[in-house]
Amino acid sequence: MRRTGTSVDPLWYKDAVIYEVPVKSFCDGNGDGIGDFEGLHSKLDYLQSLGVTCLWLLPFFPSPLRDDGYDIADYFSIHPSYGTLEDFKQFLDAAHARGLRVIVELVLNHTSDQHPWFQRARSAPAGSPERDFYVWNDTDQRHKEARIIFVDSERSNWTWDDEAKAFYWHRFFHHQPDLNFDNPVVVTELLTVLDFWLDLGVDGFRLDAVPYLIERDGTNCENLPETHAIIKTVRAHVNKRPSPPLLLAEANQPPADVRAYFGDGDGDECHMAYHFPVMPRIFMSLHLEDREPIVDVMERTPGIPENCQWAMFLRNHDELTLEMVTEDERDYMYLAYSMDPQGRINVGIRRRLAPLVGNSRPRIELLNALLFSLPGTPILYYGDEIGMGDNLYLGDRNGVRTPMQWTGDRNAGFSKADPAGLYSPVINDPVYGFPAVNVESQESDNASLLHWTRNMIRLRQHFKVFGRGSIDFLRPANTKVLVFTRSFEGDTLLCVANLSRTAQPVELDLRAYAGATPVETLGYTEFPPIGELPYFLTLGPYGFYWFELQRPHG
């Protein structure tokens, strides 16, 4: 069951562990209070030692930063606060030298209203090629079936522009006008953007907000066939390269709709897509102490092409999104995980992982064990490996984007700048503050969350079955215990997790594996061989096992 893939394996993303990092938040190399590529470069040894294999960089392009960089004003450069293109190239070369791949954010759907394309469009005559880069109309009554995504801040998907004397379309904030993908010139321009970064050596792209590229009357303007045609064009374009890059679709949709973003046949759209619905249901199962929400969503997940993969995560840079649950489930999640209304935003909860579970180390470990063992490629959010907290008093989603806590010294070791000059205040409360939670102290503590996370990442990477295997759920009588097997090329792992805060017994029907010996992978301890009788286990509160089922030789 040991991994046999190589660095040139075209399916490398199936065995990857991805680390999500905003450049501005990780490390400040030049002392101006803002993280940059020089600082990120200096921390590559840490990331390599953590065991992650791929870095996902949040937007770092020139931008007004009204939406944390997702409002791009120039696709071909680096925001001056983060460094230069030369700094990026040096960082990229250093990451590759350590065996780390790098994927970057590409916001396809929209730009900033400060982008030169939009500035030309608003001042150009109606019907001109320049105006045609965006979606305009004389009235704000078209496409009424399309939902408003940011319900906290936007009342319409149309905004009036005084200079253009017309309404422009935007599915997100009003300062992020949607590009017109019915215009082939727009598609050509964005393919040029991909080529620019691929020529620099990036390993892939996270394609942001892909369901919303095309608008049609009488539809909800999501997941339209014309949108999929655009993604197929992008995939065909990058496939011309000797080593095609990874395309990761950000489509916050039900699994049946997301399935379409993998494409037809062997997959001719994106290689990966996020499994948004599973995230809230993992938290629901934990609070309910019942496996059914997880089992239900996983069993309703459609099959995907052999060369495709789900991206799995517990938290990310936005919020614990609750768009893909029912209204009753959403109300339950708010009650369970966000009694403080200040922690809620849009249709989600803006908390980091540790505060979501009351800083319970056993629950953090169990959630990560599920993340690492369910089908898909796990994504870790920076700082969660040490249990960082958040700051609900910061606006929007900035409370989960505070400086990385490296040491207990000034500015958490993030920057040498005056504390007042930091892009964001560091966390400084008694529980999650940098004097109590930082990399330096956890490096020296073998029992720390950082060491535990590092060990679990390395353990997961020993077994290809986690990234590539099938899953089958067992249904023991005790519903507080989640049990499933992962199988790949004749090898099987048995995963058992106690979702309860109290110790639980479980009897498993493992007759299909009679004669095999379960070997617990954390300590490589042999358990009694499996026979025809029910297999009995006891698990401590939030305890879990990963067993390698070893067949007798001969």
Side-chain angles (χ1 to χ4, degrees), residues 303-324:
I304 60 177
E306 194 66 29
N307 61 341
C308 293
Q309 180 78 313
W310 291 107
M312 305 289 283
F313 59 102
L314 297 172
R315 285 293 297 107
N316 64 11
H317 60 284
D318 288 333
E319 66 267 6
L320 197 165
T321 179
L322 302 176
E323 287 185 83
M324 292 301 112

Side-chain angles (χ1 to χ4, degrees), residues 327-391:
E327 289 190 13
D328 288 344
E329 289 171 333
R330 188 176 303 131
D331 290 342
Y332 181 83
M333 287 290 289
Y334 281 145
L335 182 65
Y337 290 104
S338 186
M339 289 291 288
D340 183 355
Q342 198 167 4
R344 306 173 190 178
I345 188 171
N346 297 319
V347 188
I349 302 172
R350 58 184 189 120
R351 303 302 308 266
R352 267 191 177 267
L353 177 61
L356 274 171
V357 295
N359 204 31
S360 164
R361 173 76 178 269
R363 291 204 285 177
I364 291 172
E365 291 184 359
L366 175 61
L367 286 168
N368 277 300
L370 294 175
L371 174 69
F372 290 153
S373 57
L374 287 169
T377 294
I379 299 176
L380 296 177
Y381 188 47
Y382 87 101
D384 279 354
E385 72 271 23
I386 59 172
M388 275 180 59
D390 49 40
N391 183 350

Side-chain angles (χ1 to χ4, degrees), residues 79-270:
H79 194 290
S81 296
Y82 307 149
T84 65
L85 272 175
E86 186 57 35
D87 293 333
F88 176 81
K89 292 175 187 176
Q90 291 178 7
F91 151 77
L92 188 61
D93 288 343
H96 286 162
R98 291 166 173 79
L100 295 169
R101 297 180 186 269
V102 177
I103 61 175
V104 302
E105 195 91 31
L106 184 65
V107 183
L108 286 176
N109 181 69
H110 52 262
T111 70
S112 165
D113 59 7
Q114 301 304 304
H115 196 290
W117 293 345
F118 188 74
Q119 294 301 310
R120 286 197 297 265
R122 67 196 306 215
S123 60
S128 65
E130 292 81 8
R131 177 70 69 92
D132 201 36
F133 257 62
Y134 295 85
V135 181
W136 301 88
N137 200 44
D138 294 332
T139 173
D140 61 356
Q141 296 305 302
R142 290 189 69 185
H143 311 317
K144 297 295 286 185
E145 298 88 350
R147 65 191 172 107
I148 296 171
I149 295 172
F150 288 153
V151 293
D152 286 2
S153 53
E154 301 294 334
R155 294 295 174 262
S156 173
N157 289 321
W158 293 100
T159 291
W160 175 259
D161 185 78
D162 279 334
E163 185 170 350
K165 304 302 181 188
F167 290 94
Y168 63 86
W169 177 254
H170 56 89
R171 289 308 302 271
F172 294 88
F173 293 116
H174 65 272
H175 54 81
Q176 295 169 322
D178 279 23
L179 288 162
N180 178 16
F181 276 90
D182 282 320
N183 182 351
V185 180
V186 169
V187 178
T188 300
E189 287 286 350
L190 286 170
L191 293 179
T192 302
V193 172
L194 267 74
D195 287 338
F196 177 82
W197 294 101
L198 289 173
D199 289 342
L200 289 178
V202 303
D203 299 289
F205 300 94
R206 177 190 185 262
L207 304 181
D208 182 66
V210 294
Y212 316 108
L213 302 185
I214 294 289
E215 304 78 35
R216 290 291 181 268
D217 290 329
T219 76
N220 65 0
C221 300
E222 299 180 19
N223 310 313
L224 300 181
E226 296 89 340
T227 289
H228 288 286
I230 299 296
I231 304 301
K232 290 180 191 295
T233 298
V234 172
R235 176 65 176 269
H237 181 79
V238 300
N239 273 358
K240 296 174 185 176
R241 293 186 170 255
S243 298
L246 171 72
L247 298 179
L248 168 57
E250 191 261 336
N252 190 356
Q253 303 284 320
D257 290 332
V258 177
R259 164 63 183 84
Y261 288 95
F262 294 112
D264 304 317
D266 291 334
D268 59 359
E269 292 189 32
C270 292

